Amino acid sequence: MAAAPSASADYVRDRQWVMDVFSVDDMWAQSQGEGVIVAVVDSGVDAGHPDLSGQVLEGKDFTGGGNAQQDIQGHGTAMASLIAGHGHGAGNDSGVKGLAPKAKILPLRTLRTAADRNADETWGAAVRYAVDHGAKVINLSFANDGGHTLSDGRQAIAYAQAHDVVVVAGAGNVGFSTVSEPAALPGVVAVGAVDRNANRWDESNTGKGLTLMAPGVDIVAANPKRSPQYGLSDGTSDATAYVSAAAALVRAKYPDLTAGQVINRLIKSASFLQHKGLKAPDQEYGYGIVRPYSALTMNIPKGPEGNPLGRVQLVDDASKGSTSSATENTKTKGYTSMGAIVLLVGVIGLLAVIAIITSLVVARSRRATQNGAATNGTYPNSAYPAQQLMPPPVQQPYPSQPHNQAYGYPAAPPQAPQHPNPYTQQPPHQDPTR
């Protein structure tokens, strides 16, 4: 888009096909995300971008110093604009608008450049910060393709879930038949990408645990690193941002709903559209393509307060009223307090005996060495090499640029739609116009 014409702002608005298929004017009559904070755990967010002015909170930089309101890479700003962009110019008719233009963005910078590694301990700390600073939705537009989330990340997500926060993450951009973590973790809304024809993007990961699909192909978004401050991309990062925005819309309109009930509403209002014969959850489309307007207007019972997607077990003592897995295991084995005490005493006694025997052996070894026994191999010193420390576990590196392998900026050729607007094709018993 660097070669966009001079009327770039209008051009940008015209490229936002998502605004049309989601009928945003009707949607915004129901909710615009007022009063909801969405945390964007990413490369920072440019608070000075004209489409985000006034929307970006102070946030925090977790990369060792710096300003979370600065974005060297541009990815975080793009995600924030899809969530809460409000456009600019007369009537805000130019630039990018997000689905929840009145939500606030909490920028949490966990990487600065495309070469940085987005470590679990770093983004995990950012997730906890988001929870403690009022975020009701957390957007994780990245994936650890082929790797597993370490304890820092898992427990941070568990902490968020225990504190009534909706966590949304991208399924991955490498075409795997498995959903990448952290999206694959229990309770996380795992998001895949579809194009303007409501067909799954070829590189969007599939598999068990996929929750929702959202637009993620030919997406224009704010980007301070490009001229004129906009870029074009494909990926589940963008789709994740749209689902986070949909969650913010629901949380704004239904503030009494728990995070689990918000997720339930998003799932129940989703649709497979023209894809007939699929059964939810489907390995390629999850529970369907997100429909924000329907999520706001359909008559959906609250349902249970818990997360319908499950939850990560929290073992952090910081969680109020949480029970550690170790305690639960003790309960299931039927140990009584007295039994545990008896067992403890027995273990202490056994350790004492072992210590005495060890002392005698060491003393004997020393005497034997002094008497020349070491020369005939009875207790050679080489039999007791210095203890080797286990090397730290090697973590799978994160992609150099989260969920943005196709984050180039040339204008994509126009696609011929298979249907005038497939997003209006609904199965029976659902809103026929959204």
Side-chain angles (χ1 to χ4, degrees):
M1 292 197 64
S6 58
S8 57
D10 293 337
Y11 176 74
V12 166
R13 180 58 57 84
D14 291 341
R15 290 299 299 263
Q16 294 174 69
W17 60 268
V18 178
M19 300 292 101
D20 296 326
V21 300
F22 280 155
S23 300
V24 292
D25 289 336
D26 293 338
M27 181 183 70
W28 289 333
Q30 300 292 326
S31 173
Q32 296 188 44
E34 302 92 331
V36 177
I37 296 175
V38 180
V40 175
V41 180
D42 213 296
S43 59
V45 176
D46 182 4
H49 194 285
D51 295 343
L52 287 167
S53 61
Q55 299 300 99
V56 184
L57 303 176
E58 181 178 0
K60 184 176 180 180
D61 183 277
F62 289 84
T63 65
N67 185 355
Q69 293 187 346
Q70 295 177 345
D71 187 3
I72 298 174
Q73 187 181 141
H75 189 268
T77 302
M79 299 306 103
S81 72
L82 298 180
I83 296 169
H86 52 52
H88 67 273
N92 287 332
D93 288 336
S94 300
V96 167
K97 279 194 175 183
L99 293 188
K102 291 188 177 179
K104 295 295 184 180
I105 298 294
L106 180 66
L108 302 173
R109 187 158 71 165
T110 58
L111 72 166
R112 284 181 283 183
T113 71
D116 290 344
R117 174 173 167 268
N118 198 15
D120 291 63
E121 58 268 26
T122 306
W123 67 257
V127 166
R128 288 179 176 271
Y129 182 94
V131 174
D132 294 339
H133 289 78
K136 301 305 290 182
V137 180
I138 297 177
N139 185 85
L140 306 178
S141 284
F142 57 82
N144 188 1
D145 292 318
H148 294 290
T149 304
L150 302 182
S151 178
D152 290 299
R154 293 180 64 92
Q155 288 304 294
I157 288 177
Y159 183 75
Q161 292 171 346
H163 290 79
D164 194 43
V165 179
V166 177
V167 181
V168 188
N173 286 355
V174 289
F176 285 171
S177 58
T178 55
V179 175
S180 296
E181 294 190 7
L185 295 177
V188 178
V189 181
V191 184
V194 294
D195 60 20
R196 69 178 68 214
N197 299 318
N199 295 320
R200 183 182 67 84
W201 179 50
D202 289 342
E203 300 303 315
S204 183
N205 288 5
T206 62
K208 183 179 179 181
L210 186 64
T211 310
L212 292 169
M213 305 296 282
V217 179
D218 193 27
I219 304 298
V220 63
N223 191 318
K225 301 296 111 181
R226 296 289 172 174
S227 176
Q229 298 196 75
Y230 297 97
L232 193 68
S233 67
D234 301 333
T236 59
S237 283
D238 309 278
T240 299
Y242 280 132
V243 172
S244 291
L249 293 174
V250 174
R251 301 220 82 163
K253 182 173 181 180
Y254 301 101
D256 59 323
L257 295 185
T258 66
Q261 290 167 337
V262 170
I263 294 172
N264 177 66
R265 181 167 276 272
L266 293 174
I267 289 174
K268 293 290 179 60
S269 59
S271 171
F272 291 128
L273 301 179
Q274 79 267 21
H275 303 286
K276 307 299 181 182
L278 302 184
K279 183 179 179 181
D282 180 72
Q283 298 256 333
E284 289 194 20
Y285 289 88
Y287 290 90
I289 299 170
V290 68
R291 296 190 302 160
Y293 178 83
S294 296
L296 294 169
T297 59
M298 284 182 66
N299 183 16
I300 300 174
K302 284 185 177 181
E305 293 185 354
N307 191 328
L309 304 175
R311 60 185 293 266
V312 178
Q313 178 63 47
L314 180 65
V315 296
D316 193 334
D317 292 337
S319 174
K320 296 181 180 179
S322 66
T323 303
S324 70
S325 57
T327 302
E328 289 180 349
N329 289 338
T330 301
K331 290 180 180 178
T332 57
K333 292 177 182 177
Y335 289 128
T336 63
S337 299
M338 183 59 69
I341 294 173
V342 172
L343 178 61
L344 179 61
V345 172
V347 170
I348 293 175
L350 179 60
L351 291 175
V353 173
I354 293 174
I356 293 172
I357 294 174
T358 302
S359 299
L360 293 175
V361 171
V362 171
R364 180 180 177 185
S365 173
R366 289 174 177 172
R367 288 196 301 271
T369 302
Q370 292 172 356
N371 293 333
T375 59
N376 60 23
T378 305
Y379 290 104
N381 291 336
S382 60
Y384 302 95
Q387 183 180 7
Q388 298 295 321
L389 296 177
M390 291 294 291
V394 179
Q395 184 192 20
Q396 290 287 339
Y398 278 72
S400 60
Q401 189 168 352
H403 270 205
N404 198 21
Q405 295 177 346
Y407 213 87
Y409 299 88
Q415 300 178 353
Q418 298 174 0
H419 306 278
N421 185 357
Y423 288 78
T424 64
Q425 299 186 18
Q426 310 300 336
H429 311 300
Q430 297 195 25
D431 185 342
T433 62
R434 299 287 180 269

